[in-house]
Amino acid sequence: MSLIFLTIFLLLVSGYAGTATYLNGENPVFLNLTALFVISILIVGALWTWMLRRQAAGFMNALDGMVDRAIHGREQLTHFDETSLSSLEHKLLRYIEITKANKQHLETEKNTIKELISDISHQTKTPLSNILLYSQLLAETPDLGGDTRLLLDQIEAQADKLEWLITSLIKLSRLETGMITLHSEVKPVLATLTSALSHIYTRAENKGIGIQLECDPVTAARHDHKWTSEALFNLLENAVKYTNPGGSIRIVAESNEMFTRIDISDTGIGIGKDELEHIFKRFYRGHSVREVEGIGIGLYLARKIISIQGGFITAASEPGQGTKLSIFLPQL
């Protein structure tokens, strides 16, 4: 910008000098006066530019010191005067005070939520354990009628479902409030995939669903083994749940320049395009799967775990043609 103004200034001065010389001829006195005028203008312009730069540098140094003092809570650089710098400093101090107050408020809320989660976990664990225990004891009672045994099975199943829901909500709350810290490091993803598969393999086998895994042992990504394994388990559990008996699931892991991609493809019922953008929302369940047992928190929790690690999940599906969920984990 300064170069543009300098160019315009020089053009105006030279234009004026040239026009004046052309109109008044080559009078030596006039030429000397014109040269003196041009030199004076250039000197004044240079001094003015130098003063502006010096003032700007002084203002920036004062501003830098002001910000540094405000951040570290030191004595104010300016006092209550009418300068723009003083006004800016006091606004900055006010902003920092509000930010600190908000931070303290958020910390207080975080601790409150932490205590609430701990209370919920503690208060619900014992009653649920007792319900499951009493159900098992009743189930061992001889000469139980068929209807009674069926009701006991339903009680036990619903108690298991409630226990899983509470556990998932506690995990999710701890992740969202930062109470749980994920320890990501670059390591092969094969062990993580194998760990997730080990928890889902029996269910797939009971439904006659074949599982194919394609992953080079050296394929690596930056991730937390435990939590990434849980995210993969949630995705695989959905794949098994919504794939008909005799179907198949294919898992492919490969690396590119920035991410390691893990594709989980199934031959299940698929998802409509109008529902595809909603499947990662909390408690969302598609219209076509309302009759299938589920809560709708697994995909949300999986996406939360992956996003905390700097990755993301995408989904592609067609009704009746299966679903492909892709996890992208950073390499560095």
Side-chain angles (χ1 to χ4, degrees):
M1 187 63 69
S2 59
L3 181 61
I4 295 176
F5 281 112
L6 178 61
T7 303
I8 294 174
F9 176 75
L10 291 176
L11 287 175
L12 289 175
V13 172
S14 60
Y16 168 78
T19 303
T21 302
Y22 175 76
L23 294 176
N24 292 278
E26 297 182 359
N27 188 332
V29 177
F30 179 76
L31 290 176
N32 290 334
L33 290 174
T34 302
L36 181 62
F37 171 76
V38 172
I39 293 173
S40 300
I41 290 295
L42 291 176
I43 291 174
V44 171
L47 288 173
W48 182 66
T49 303
W50 177 77
M51 289 180 62
L52 283 179
R53 290 185 176 179
R54 184 176 180 181
Q55 288 179 354
F59 182 82
M60 292 304 297
N61 289 333
L63 185 61
D64 181 72
M66 179 188 72
V67 173
D68 184 67
R69 289 171 182 269
I71 291 175
H72 295 89
R74 300 171 186 166
E75 183 181 356
Q76 295 184 20
L77 183 66
T78 62
H79 300 284
F80 290 95
D81 51 34
E82 298 299 327
T83 64
S84 299
L85 188 62
S86 176
S87 175
L88 180 61
E89 179 177 23
H90 291 296
K91 288 180 180 178
L92 178 62
L93 288 171
R94 180 59 180 160
Y95 173 76
I96 292 176
E97 289 174 359
I98 293 173
T99 303
K100 288 181 178 179
N102 289 337
K103 184 178 179 181
Q104 292 176 354
H105 180 67
L106 289 174
E107 189 67 26
T108 302
E109 286 187 345
K110 179 180 175 181
N111 291 332
T112 302
I113 293 173
K114 182 178 179 180
E115 293 175 1
L116 180 61
I117 291 172
S118 298
D119 290 342
I120 292 173
S121 177
H122 177 73
Q123 296 297 331
T124 57
K125 185 180 296 183
T126 302
L128 279 173
S129 298
N130 289 338
I131 290 173
L132 290 171
L133 176 61
Y134 296 151
S135 299
Q136 293 171 1
L137 291 174
L138 285 173
E140 295 174 0
T141 303
D143 302 327
L144 277 179
D147 293 339
T148 304
R149 192 170 297 278
L150 180 61
L151 291 173
L152 284 174
D153 291 339
Q154 289 296 321
I155 291 173
E156 187 173 353
Q158 294 302 314
D160 287 334
K161 181 179 178 180
L162 183 58
E163 183 179 27
W164 184 89
L165 174 60
I166 292 173
T167 302
S168 298
L169 289 175
I170 290 172
K171 289 178 182 178
L172 187 57
S173 298
R174 287 175 174 172
L175 285 170
E176 290 179 335
T177 56
M179 292 166 57
I180 295 178
T181 302
L182 274 63
H183 302 285
S184 300
E185 57 181 329
V186 178
K187 59 176 66 174
V189 299
L190 181 59
T192 307
L193 285 168
T194 304
S195 176
L197 281 171
S198 65
H199 295 91
I200 203 69
Y201 186 79
T202 302
R203 303 184 196 180
E205 189 176 33
N206 291 337
K207 291 184 67 174
I209 297 174
I211 298 179
Q212 181 183 359
L213 174 61
E214 299 178 17
C215 178
D216 194 303
V218 299
T219 300
R222 177 172 292 279
H223 67 288
D224 182 288
H225 170 77
K226 175 185 175 182
W227 285 99
T228 306
S229 176
E230 179 156 347
L232 288 167
F233 167 77
N234 289 336
L235 301 185
L236 289 168
E237 183 183 39
N238 267 23
V240 172
K241 185 184 299 182
Y242 301 120
T243 297
N244 294 324
S248 62
I249 298 173
R250 185 168 179 257
I251 307 166
V252 180
E254 56 184 7
S255 299
N256 53 38
E257 294 182 359
M258 296 181 61
F259 291 93
T260 292
R261 175 173 177 168
I262 302 173
D263 292 331
I264 300 176
S265 306
D266 62 56
T267 58
I269 59 177
I271 306 169
K273 290 184 178 180
D274 58 329
E275 295 183 321
L276 202 57
E277 61 180 306
H278 304 293
I279 62 174
F280 291 105
K281 294 180 179 179
R282 193 200 306 254
F283 298 120
Y284 180 81
R285 303 206 68 211
H287 300 296
S288 60
V289 297
R290 297 291 171 86
E291 302 301 324
V292 182
E293 188 75 15
I295 298 172
I297 198 175
L299 291 181
Y300 180 85
L301 180 59
R303 187 182 67 171
K304 190 68 180 179
I305 293 171
I306 298 301
S307 63
I308 289 176
Q309 300 179 91
F312 58 96
I313 304 178
T314 62
S317 182
E318 290 288 344
Q321 299 183 19
T323 302
K324 181 170 76 172
L325 297 174
S326 300
I327 294 179
F328 293 83
L329 293 170
Q331 292 196 11
L332 299 176

